[in-house]
Amino acid sequence: MGNVRLTDKAAQQVQDAGVSARMSTQVDRTGDRLVPFEESAEITTLSPATLRWMRHRGEGPPFFKVGGRRLVVWESDLYAWIEAQAAKDQAVAR
């Protein structure tokens, strides 16, 4: 499913409880939205075929299926992935 980010308060609660943040399923998604696959292709300016190939290789944004068929990604995860790609490209350029 991709990386899950906790709010500072939730991460502290998890730490206080002695539970690994990686194992926690309680995530604050307030204000976040699910972005359909087609819209994510427009946002990233990648073709749907390229995104499908990247997903197949485990290199693309952290898509998951809703209702067994529809591919979506959390908007915050999509933009975090885009930022990570930019950072990786900048690191290579240096």
Side-chain angles (χ1 to χ4, degrees):
M1 177 175 176
N3 292 338
V4 175
R5 282 179 295 293
L6 301 174
T7 63
D8 290 341
K9 182 178 178 181
Q12 185 61 49
Q13 289 172 342
V14 168
Q15 187 176 10
D16 291 345
V19 178
S20 167
R22 186 177 212 103
M23 299 299 291
S24 175
T25 58
Q26 294 185 1
V27 178
D28 183 10
R29 293 288 186 178
T30 304
D32 210 350
R33 72 181 186 99
L34 293 172
V35 178
F37 180 82
E38 300 79 15
E39 185 179 345
S40 65
E42 292 175 18
I43 291 170
T44 61
T45 69
L46 296 171
S47 72
T50 298
L51 273 181
R52 277 189 213 94
W53 179 246
M54 293 177 84
R55 179 175 187 265
H56 169 74
R57 294 178 49 120
E59 299 171 352
F63 290 104
F64 59 97
K65 291 183 180 181
V66 173
R69 296 188 62 152
R70 188 156 175 86
L71 280 176
V72 296
V73 61
W74 287 106
E75 186 174 43
S76 60
D77 289 346
L78 179 61
Y79 283 103
W81 179 81
I82 292 169
E83 289 175 14
Q85 298 305 301
K88 188 170 25 173
D89 185 59
Q90 289 172 356
V92 170
R94 290 181 187 168

